[in-house]
Amino acid sequence: NQLTYIVSGEGSVVLNGEEKRITAGSCVFVEAGMTHQFKAYSDELTLFHIHTPDEGRDNDRYLVKGDDYNRYK
């Protein structure tokens, strides 16, 4: 499971294909195994993630920009 707190900025989160806007002060809970993606609307988007449990996560994230942006849809 993952809890994400939006520290600053704004963007959106896509949870199982449904997109929702996020802004500073928002919290997002992502259940284990849920397909998710965070999108920044500006360079100021800062996220704080808490993962439980914190094991088996060596290769579970990708930062995509430019031509790779839609690769994980």
Side-chain angles (χ1 to χ4, degrees):
N1 294 318
Q2 170 183 316
L3 179 66
T4 299
Y5 176 76
I6 293 70
V7 177
S8 63
E10 62 182 295
S12 65
V13 60
V14 181
L15 301 172
N16 286 337
E18 185 176 333
E19 189 166 356
K20 295 181 181 183
R21 184 172 181 209
I22 54 173
T23 58
S26 302
C27 283
V28 176
F29 181 74
V30 182
E31 290 185 41
M34 179 181 282
T35 301
H36 61 285
Q37 177 184 31
F38 289 91
K39 298 178 182 179
Y41 293 163
S42 67
D43 289 338
E44 289 80 34
L45 182 63
T46 304
L47 307 174
F48 178 72
H49 300 287
I50 301 169
H51 295 264
T52 58
D54 192 29
E55 57 188 47
R57 297 181 39 248
D58 296 334
N59 298 308
D60 72 338
R61 332 181 162 70
Y62 304 93
L63 295 177
V64 291
K65 294 182 179 180
D67 293 338
D68 288 337
Y69 185 75
N70 293 313
R71 180 171 35 157
Y72 295 102
K73 280 191 172 183

